[in-house]
Amino acid sequence: MAAPGEHPTDLPECPSLGGGGLLPAELRAWMLLLAATGAVEQRLRTVVKEKLDISHDEFLVLCLLAEQPEGGLRMTRVAELLGRPKTRLTYQIACLQHAGLVTRRSVRGDKRGVEVALTDKARLLLQEASAPLAETVTESLARFMGPDQCAAMRGLVPDLEEESRPE
């Protein structure tokens, strides 16, 4: 992992880090966050395909469903949370259903409502792939930002801070 002031040698310096430009600090920070997440997504796409044999967008659907304590989510809510058109999501859900990773069912009392949920197969697959996927994220971020920046980013999501603390 890169030291706080150290930049990995195989990556170009991010132009927004130097300051002195036209952008205020908040916008420079936002640009750095976008660049870091882009780097993670690029690497994660490959690992998701290798480990789960699904697309990155399908992986995002599975991750969203995996965070649901009970049951699933309505298709309209999944589309809303992922910022995806409903037609694109319908295709992704069909692919996941064909692979045996999600189920679809009508919502009781709503003829048009459809709820999707993970299958046991998907839960097992996600559990098995979690460690290499998390390692990919950690390594990708470490190539782009130092430990202090990574900790600050994790701090943006309070639940993650508690989970990452050593016991």
Side-chain angles (χ1 to χ4, degrees):
M1 194 178 283
E6 185 180 316
H7 186 76
T9 56
D10 61 339
L11 293 175
E13 185 70 34
C14 180
S16 66
L17 289 179
L22 296 174
L23 302 178
E26 290 81 7
L27 192 50
R28 284 196 320 269
W30 176 245
M31 295 306 295
L32 176 61
L33 184 60
L34 288 177
T37 57
V40 170
E41 280 192 359
Q42 184 178 13
R43 180 68 185 118
L44 202 53
R45 285 180 194 281
T46 303
V47 178
V48 163
K49 190 65 178 166
E50 289 170 2
K51 299 290 181 190
L52 302 173
D53 196 28
I54 59 174
S55 73
H56 184 260
D57 287 343
E58 292 165 353
F59 172 66
L60 296 178
V61 171
L62 292 183
C63 288
L64 183 60
L65 294 173
E67 289 297 307
Q68 302 311 304
E70 288 293 322
L73 283 175
R74 291 175 79 114
M75 291 270 291
T76 52
R77 184 67 177 143
V78 173
E80 182 181 280
L81 290 170
L82 293 178
R84 301 281 189 270
K86 292 176 192 170
T87 54
R88 178 73 183 139
L89 180 64
T90 299
Y91 173 76
Q92 291 169 343
I93 296 295
C95 291
L96 291 169
Q97 187 177 19
H98 181 72
L101 301 175
V102 299
T103 59
R104 263 197 278 211
R105 68 174 183 216
S106 297
V107 175
R108 180 184 271 169
D110 183 354
K111 292 180 192 176
R112 298 183 334 165
V114 176
E115 184 178 86
V116 291
L118 290 182
T119 62
D120 290 340
K121 177 182 176 181
R123 290 182 190 287
L124 181 61
L125 195 60
L126 285 172
Q127 285 175 345
E128 290 172 353
S130 287
L133 292 169
E135 185 178 315
T136 299
V137 171
T138 301
E139 288 174 0
S140 297
L141 286 176
R143 291 183 54 192
F144 207 84
M145 36 173 77
D148 293 341
Q149 291 86 4
C150 288
M153 192 171 72
R154 281 191 308 274
L156 294 173
V157 184
D159 293 339
L160 292 179
E161 269 302 297
E162 291 177 17
E163 289 176 15
S164 66
R165 285 190 192 127
E167 294 181 20

